[in-house]
Amino acid sequence: MRKGRDQCLNLGEMIRILRSCRSAEEAVPSCCGTATHILIWTIRLGTSCRQAGPASAEMLSALAPLPETETELKSIARVFGKKGVQVFLAEQATEPQLRSQALDDYKVIYFATHGLLPGELKCQAEPGLVLTPPVQTPALSNPQAREVDGLLEASEIASLRFNADLVVLSACNTAGGAGRFGGDSLSGLAESFFHAGARRLLVSHWQVPSKATARLMTRLFETMGPDMAVGPSRSLQAAQLSLIRQPQSAHPFFWAAFVLVGDGLDDAWLPLPRGPKL
């Protein structure tokens, strides 16, 4: 039975990483640092060339853990209640799992994972979201290899079909354009989601500390409520103010990365009600 659009799909709590985009530390870094929990791994993302085939499962599995994302997702799921919520964590948060969902039935879709920009995997031309990779890299002879490799790239996202009022990309650099690290002029992740049918996106402009992000997102959805009675613009503002009031997260580094893109105007500000959604 198809799920109603009043549901929320959460995909997150991803895998191991050598160099974390979202730092697990709460200190303001002078540069993008490593996570506090680091696995010793001989592969460096920027030195192994990404070929035209599927992404390397070994490279994706070299990414550091984001332990706070599980708490982040579960806190947000509680706001919506048990009914109509799907949460996929760790081994369940795979690319085939995502593709098996009726994505156009969901009102909110939430990714809490790593975002990769072109150049972070050498020779990679597209930005992408890292899902849990398979144990082994899919064979080049598999015609669907890139659909199951665990790296959801911009062109793949654009081919999906969404009907979501809000897609959250709780990952690093998800608003960045594809040309930032030398890729072609292909649109960034945000534009790919719009092409797929999303109406609003919550995206980040820089590497985001995991703990601060978890607090920000939890407060945002608590303010918005299960029926999204308070729009995402006002809810984001309230969440950012809550972090500003705390000395340990008052610096803009912790709360200013996330921006709402798309149809961000709350209904309360409109002179006339919106028409029916198609």
Side-chain angles (χ1 to χ4, degrees), residues 200-216:
R200 299 183 183 101
L201 291 175
L202 190 60
V203 295
S204 58
H205 280 294
W206 60 74
Q207 290 83 359
V208 186
S210 292
K211 291 182 180 179
T213 296
R215 294 200 301 269
L216 179 76

PDB file of all heavy atoms in Angstrom, residues 200-216:
ATOM      1  N   ARG A 200      11.078  22.970  -1.622  1.00  0.00           N
ATOM      2  CA  ARG A 200      11.988  23.703  -0.738  1.00  0.00           C
ATOM      3  C   ARG A 200      13.148  22.799  -0.388  1.00  0.00           C
ATOM      4  O   ARG A 200      12.983  21.591  -0.212  1.00  0.00           O
ATOM      5  CB  ARG A 200      11.304  24.126   0.560  1.00  0.00           C
ATOM      6  CG  ARG A 200      10.109  25.053   0.431  1.00  0.00           C
ATOM      7  CD  ARG A 200       9.629  25.418   1.831  1.00  0.00           C
ATOM      8  NE  ARG A 200       8.440  26.252   1.842  1.00  0.00           N
ATOM      9  CZ  ARG A 200       7.212  25.808   2.066  1.00  0.00           C
ATOM     10  NH1 ARG A 200       7.014  24.509   2.278  1.00  0.00           N
ATOM     11  NH2 ARG A 200       6.178  26.633   2.090  1.00  0.00           N
ATOM     12  N   LEU A 201      14.311  23.403  -0.235  1.00  0.00           N
ATOM     13  CA  LEU A 201      15.494  22.675   0.196  1.00  0.00           C
ATOM     14  C   LEU A 201      16.139  23.412   1.353  1.00  0.00           C
ATOM     15  O   LEU A 201      16.238  24.640   1.339  1.00  0.00           O
ATOM     16  CB  LEU A 201      16.514  22.561  -0.933  1.00  0.00           C
ATOM     17  CG  LEU A 201      16.172  21.666  -2.129  1.00  0.00           C
ATOM     18  CD1 LEU A 201      17.263  21.794  -3.177  1.00  0.00           C
ATOM     19  CD2 LEU A 201      16.032  20.226  -1.705  1.00  0.00           C
ATOM     20  N   LEU A 202      16.569  22.667   2.335  1.00  0.00           N
ATOM     21  CA  LEU A 202      17.388  23.218   3.407  1.00  0.00           C
ATOM     22  C   LEU A 202      18.785  22.674   3.196  1.00  0.00           C
ATOM     23  O   LEU A 202      19.013  21.455   3.291  1.00  0.00           O
ATOM     24  CB  LEU A 202      16.846  22.800   4.771  1.00  0.00           C
ATOM     25  CG  LEU A 202      17.469  23.495   5.987  1.00  0.00           C
ATOM     26  CD1 LEU A 202      17.264  25.000   5.918  1.00  0.00           C
ATOM     27  CD2 LEU A 202      16.873  22.947   7.282  1.00  0.00           C
ATOM     28  N   VAL A 203      19.726  23.563   2.860  1.00  0.00           N
ATOM     29  CA  VAL A 203      21.060  23.139   2.452  1.00  0.00           C
ATOM     30  C   VAL A 203      22.115  23.918   3.228  1.00  0.00           C
ATOM     31  O   VAL A 203      21.823  24.947   3.852  1.00  0.00           O
ATOM     32  CB  VAL A 203      21.275  23.349   0.941  1.00  0.00           C
ATOM     33  CG1 VAL A 203      20.352  22.450   0.134  1.00  0.00           C
ATOM     34  CG2 VAL A 203      21.040  24.809   0.553  1.00  0.00           C
ATOM     35  N   SER A 204      23.346  23.431   3.170  1.00  0.00           N
ATOM     36  CA  SER A 204      24.439  24.054   3.925  1.00  0.00           C
ATOM     37  C   SER A 204      25.510  24.572   2.983  1.00  0.00           C
ATOM     38  O   SER A 204      25.726  24.037   1.905  1.00  0.00           O
ATOM     39  CB  SER A 204      25.043  23.055   4.915  1.00  0.00           C
ATOM     40  OG  SER A 204      25.507  21.906   4.237  1.00  0.00           O
ATOM     41  N   HIS A 205      26.213  25.618   3.414  1.00  0.00           N
ATOM     42  CA  HIS A 205      27.232  26.264   2.602  1.00  0.00           C
ATOM     43  C   HIS A 205      28.652  25.881   2.991  1.00  0.00           C
ATOM     44  O   HIS A 205      29.587  26.180   2.256  1.00  0.00           O
ATOM     45  CB  HIS A 205      27.101  27.787   2.705  1.00  0.00           C
ATOM     46  CG  HIS A 205      26.022  28.351   1.832  1.00  0.00           C
ATOM     47  ND1 HIS A 205      26.075  28.315   0.459  1.00  0.00           N
ATOM     48  CD2 HIS A 205      24.856  28.960   2.142  1.00  0.00           C
ATOM     49  CE1 HIS A 205      24.995  28.895  -0.047  1.00  0.00           C
ATOM     50  NE2 HIS A 205      24.238  29.285   0.951  1.00  0.00           N
ATOM     51  N   TRP A 206      28.835  25.269   4.152  1.00  0.00           N
ATOM     52  CA  TRP A 206      30.189  24.885   4.548  1.00  0.00           C
ATOM     53  C   TRP A 206      30.140  23.681   5.478  1.00  0.00           C
ATOM     54  O   TRP A 206      29.068  23.217   5.862  1.00  0.00           O
ATOM     55  CB  TRP A 206      30.937  26.051   5.202  1.00  0.00           C
ATOM     56  CG  TRP A 206      30.332  26.620   6.455  1.00  0.00           C
ATOM     57  CD1 TRP A 206      30.331  26.057   7.707  1.00  0.00           C
ATOM     58  CD2 TRP A 206      29.658  27.876   6.584  1.00  0.00           C
ATOM     59  NE1 TRP A 206      29.710  26.893   8.606  1.00  0.00           N
ATOM     60  CE2 TRP A 206      29.289  28.018   7.941  1.00  0.00           C
ATOM     61  CE3 TRP A 206      29.345  28.894   5.688  1.00  0.00           C
ATOM     62  CZ2 TRP A 206      28.598  29.133   8.417  1.00  0.00           C
ATOM     63  CZ3 TRP A 206      28.666  30.008   6.161  1.00  0.00           C
ATOM     64  CH2 TRP A 206      28.311  30.115   7.509  1.00  0.00           C
ATOM     65  N   GLN A 207      31.336  23.189   5.828  1.00  0.00           N
ATOM     66  CA  GLN A 207      31.448  22.034   6.705  1.00  0.00           C
ATOM     67  C   GLN A 207      30.790  22.343   8.040  1.00  0.00           C
ATOM     68  O   GLN A 207      31.116  23.340   8.680  1.00  0.00           O
ATOM     69  CB  GLN A 207      32.921  21.663   6.925  1.00  0.00           C
ATOM     70  CG  GLN A 207      33.606  21.096   5.707  1.00  0.00           C
ATOM     71  CD  GLN A 207      34.126  22.150   4.752  1.00  0.00           C
ATOM     72  OE1 GLN A 207      33.961  23.342   4.997  1.00  0.00           O
ATOM     73  NE2 GLN A 207      34.743  21.734   3.678  1.00  0.00           N
ATOM     74  N   VAL A 208      29.885  21.467   8.454  1.00  0.00           N
ATOM     75  CA  VAL A 208      29.034  21.765   9.601  1.00  0.00           C
ATOM     76  C   VAL A 208      29.359  20.817  10.762  1.00  0.00           C
ATOM     77  O   VAL A 208      29.423  19.610  10.566  1.00  0.00           O
ATOM     78  CB  VAL A 208      27.546  21.607   9.226  1.00  0.00           C
ATOM     79  CG1 VAL A 208      26.657  22.056  10.368  1.00  0.00           C
ATOM     80  CG2 VAL A 208      27.229  22.398   7.967  1.00  0.00           C
ATOM     81  N   PRO A 209      29.558  21.337  11.983  1.00  0.00           N
ATOM     82  CA  PRO A 209      29.781  20.459  13.135  1.00  0.00           C
ATOM     83  C   PRO A 209      28.546  19.601  13.402  1.00  0.00           C
ATOM     84  O   PRO A 209      27.424  20.095  13.439  1.00  0.00           O
ATOM     85  CB  PRO A 209      30.022  21.437  14.302  1.00  0.00           C
ATOM     86  CG  PRO A 209      30.368  22.730  13.647  1.00  0.00           C
ATOM     87  CD  PRO A 209      29.633  22.755  12.346  1.00  0.00           C
ATOM     88  N   SER A 210      28.735  18.319  13.603  1.00  0.00           N
ATOM     89  CA  SER A 210      27.617  17.389  13.720  1.00  0.00           C
ATOM     90  C   SER A 210      26.727  17.677  14.927  1.00  0.00           C
ATOM     91  O   SER A 210      25.503  17.641  14.833  1.00  0.00           O
ATOM     92  CB  SER A 210      28.150  15.955  13.801  1.00  0.00           C
ATOM     93  OG  SER A 210      28.735  15.568  12.593  1.00  0.00           O
ATOM     94  N   LYS A 211      27.343  17.950  16.083  1.00  0.00           N
ATOM     95  CA  LYS A 211      26.532  18.152  17.286  1.00  0.00           C
ATOM     96  C   LYS A 211      25.672  19.402  17.169  1.00  0.00           C
ATOM     97  O   LYS A 211      24.491  19.394  17.534  1.00  0.00           O
ATOM     98  CB  LYS A 211      27.442  18.235  18.513  1.00  0.00           C
ATOM     99  CG  LYS A 211      28.116  16.919  18.865  1.00  0.00           C
ATOM    100  CD  LYS A 211      28.966  17.053  20.120  1.00  0.00           C
ATOM    101  CE  LYS A 211      29.639  15.741  20.462  1.00  0.00           C
ATOM    102  NZ  LYS A 211      30.498  15.849  21.668  1.00  0.00           N
ATOM    103  N   ALA A 212      26.247  20.480  16.665  1.00  0.00           N
ATOM    104  CA  ALA A 212      25.479  21.711  16.502  1.00  0.00           C
ATOM    105  C   ALA A 212      24.368  21.527  15.477  1.00  0.00           C
ATOM    106  O   ALA A 212      23.251  22.036  15.645  1.00  0.00           O
ATOM    107  CB  ALA A 212      26.400  22.858  16.085  1.00  0.00           C
ATOM    108  N   THR A 213      24.658  20.804  14.416  1.00  0.00           N
ATOM    109  CA  THR A 213      23.644  20.552  13.396  1.00  0.00           C
ATOM    110  C   THR A 213      22.490  19.747  13.968  1.00  0.00           C
ATOM    111  O   THR A 213      21.318  20.028  13.684  1.00  0.00           O
ATOM    112  CB  THR A 213      24.258  19.798  12.205  1.00  0.00           C
ATOM    113  OG1 THR A 213      25.235  20.631  11.592  1.00  0.00           O
ATOM    114  CG2 THR A 213      23.203  19.439  11.179  1.00  0.00           C
ATOM    115  N   ALA A 214      22.792  18.745  14.782  1.00  0.00           N
ATOM    116  CA  ALA A 214      21.735  17.937  15.386  1.00  0.00           C
ATOM    117  C   ALA A 214      20.831  18.801  16.253  1.00  0.00           C
ATOM    118  O   ALA A 214      19.594  18.666  16.214  1.00  0.00           O
ATOM    119  CB  ALA A 214      22.349  16.808  16.212  1.00  0.00           C
ATOM    120  N   ARG A 215      21.417  19.708  17.027  1.00  0.00           N
ATOM    121  CA  ARG A 215      20.595  20.592  17.863  1.00  0.00           C
ATOM    122  C   ARG A 215      19.767  21.544  17.013  1.00  0.00           C
ATOM    123  O   ARG A 215      18.583  21.799  17.296  1.00  0.00           O
ATOM    124  CB  ARG A 215      21.488  21.384  18.821  1.00  0.00           C
ATOM    125  CG  ARG A 215      22.192  20.530  19.859  1.00  0.00           C
ATOM    126  CD  ARG A 215      22.645  21.376  21.052  1.00  0.00           C
ATOM    127  NE  ARG A 215      23.538  22.440  20.656  1.00  0.00           N
ATOM    128  CZ  ARG A 215      24.869  22.332  20.619  1.00  0.00           C
ATOM    129  NH1 ARG A 215      25.437  21.165  20.920  1.00  0.00           N
ATOM    130  NH2 ARG A 215      25.628  23.353  20.278  1.00  0.00           N
ATOM    131  N   LEU A 216      20.379  22.090  15.959  1.00  0.00           N
ATOM    132  CA  LEU A 216      19.682  23.031  15.089  1.00  0.00           C
ATOM    133  C   LEU A 216      18.488  22.368  14.416  1.00  0.00           C
ATOM    134  O   LEU A 216      17.373  22.911  14.413  1.00  0.00           O
ATOM    135  CB  LEU A 216      20.651  23.570  14.033  1.00  0.00           C
ATOM    136  CG  LEU A 216      20.052  24.559  13.028  1.00  0.00           C
ATOM    137  CD1 LEU A 216      19.861  25.930  13.674  1.00  0.00           C
ATOM    138  CD2 LEU A 216      20.928  24.679  11.787  1.00  0.00           C
TER     139      LEU A 216
END
